[in-house]
Amino acid sequence: MKWSNRVQIVTGQTCVHITLHLLLIAALVWGWQHHALFQVSSVLLAMYASVFIVMLPAQRLPRLRRLGDFLEDVTTTYYFGAAMLVLYLLSRVVHNNLLLGCVGVVMLTGPAVVSLLAKESVRVRR
C-alpha cells in the first residue's frame, strides 16, 4: 500500500487536501504577522471564487468530470473558511455587530437550507 493511501485512510483526506490546509494556514499566519491579513484574506477569497467558477463548467463537461469532482470537494471543504474570511472582511467595513451576526448565521446555515430544499421528493412506491 502506498504511503499516500495510508495517509488518506488515517486522516480521511488526500495528501493534496492536507497540503492545501497547511498552505492556507501558513498564508493566514504570514498575513497576520505582517499586518496584511486584509490583503491575504482578499486574495484567498478571490482564489476560492475562481476555483468555484472553474468548477461549474467542469462538472458539466464529461471530459472534465474528474476535475469537476475534485474542485467540488475543494470548494465544499473550504466553504466555511471562506465564510469566516468574508465575515472578517465585512467586519472591517461594517461596524454593526447585529448585522454581522445575522450575515454569519445566514452564511453558516445557507448551504444546509439550500441542500434541504433541493432534495428530491421521495416517490411513493405502489
Side-chain angles (χ1 to χ4, degrees):
M1 178 183 286
K2 291 202 279 186
W3 66 270
S4 60
N5 291 344
R6 288 181 191 214
V7 169
Q8 185 172 3
I9 290 170
V10 170
T11 63
Q13 301 251 335
T14 63
C15 290
V16 174
H17 278 116
I18 293 170
T19 305
L20 287 173
H21 283 293
L22 294 175
L23 287 173
L24 180 86
I25 291 168
L28 290 172
V29 168
W30 182 87
W32 177 61
Q33 286 181 339
H34 291 86
H35 304 287
L37 194 54
F38 188 85
Q39 292 85 358
V40 169
S41 297
S42 300
V43 168
L44 288 174
L45 283 174
M47 289 171 53
Y48 180 83
S50 63
V51 167
F52 187 80
I53 290 169
V54 169
M55 176 200 70
L56 294 174
Q59 285 185 321
R60 304 288 184 247
L61 298 173
R63 290 183 304 147
L64 299 175
R65 183 64 186 169
R66 288 185 61 192
L67 175 66
D69 289 343
F70 173 76
L71 294 177
E72 181 182 10
D73 288 342
V74 169
T75 56
T76 304
T77 302
Y78 293 106
Y79 172 78
F80 292 108
M84 294 300 107
L85 289 176
V86 167
L87 274 179
Y88 169 72
L89 293 176
L90 277 177
S91 72
R92 301 315 233 164
V93 177
V94 177
H95 300 289
N96 184 344
N97 290 339
L98 181 61
L99 181 62
L100 287 172
C102 290
V103 168
V105 167
V106 167
M107 283 193 306
L108 292 177
T109 59
V113 171
V114 169
S115 176
L116 288 173
L117 294 175
K119 294 243 185 222
E120 290 185 34
S121 61
V122 178
R123 295 181 185 170
V124 179
R125 289 184 149 183
R126 291 183 183 178

